Amino acid sequence: MANALYPKGKKKLLDADIDLLVDTMKVSLIDTADETYNAADEFFSDLTGAGVVATSGALAGKTTTDGTFDANDITISAVSGDPVEAVVIWKDTTVTTTSPLLVWIDGLNFTPNGSNVDVQFNASGIFSI
């Protein structure tokens, strides 16, 4: 699976239901043995519990310069559990059944060992529209 914006997340961006600069955006580490990208997924609750290895706090330093969304790199503390192969970025509404999924990023491959995990975004930004 390649990196992708969730179709329903894109619609929410276009309908102004997601404000990247104002809303609480988070990152979850994903085990693709338990959760794979599904374009039909809409909310955080659509992800299987076993597929979510860890979740960050709120992203900081968010920008949307020239149509590219970016944020500061983030550290997720004391991560342990299943292997991690992907990251999902989502809007946290505090209710998983209303927290929209936005981005699926592939290409990770590590097994957490209880240490902190640094999520480093591409220097050119997270995604562009």
Side-chain angles (χ1 to χ4, degrees):
M1 170 68 222
N3 301 341
L5 290 172
Y6 284 91
K8 293 177 181 175
K10 286 193 287 189
K11 181 174 181 352
K12 287 177 180 7
L13 278 173
L14 294 171
D15 291 347
D17 295 327
I18 296 176
D19 184 333
L20 294 169
L21 298 179
V22 174
D23 294 335
T24 300
M25 305 301 295
K26 292 187 175 181
V27 169
S28 290
L29 304 177
I30 303 296
D31 175 11
T32 59
D34 296 313
E35 181 63 47
T36 57
Y37 174 80
N38 181 344
D41 286 348
E42 183 172 7
F43 298 110
F44 192 77
S45 60
D46 292 329
L47 303 178
T48 61
V52 178
V53 177
T55 296
S56 73
L59 294 180
K62 300 177 291 182
T63 63
T64 55
T65 306
D66 296 329
T68 298
F69 174 62
D70 200 6
N72 295 344
D73 297 341
I74 191 162
T75 299
I76 304 173
S77 300
V79 178
S80 60
D82 291 341
V84 174
E85 297 87 12
V87 168
V88 169
I89 300 174
W90 53 285
K91 172 185 170 178
D92 186 4
T93 66
T94 72
V95 178
T96 61
T97 57
T98 64
S99 293
L101 302 173
L102 186 58
V103 182
W104 175 279
I105 301 172
D106 254 349
L108 302 176
N109 186 13
F110 69 92
T111 300
N113 61 8
S115 299
N116 294 347
V117 171
D118 295 321
V119 178
Q120 297 179 336
F121 298 115
N122 190 304
S124 61
I126 299 170
F127 71 88
S128 295
I129 53 172

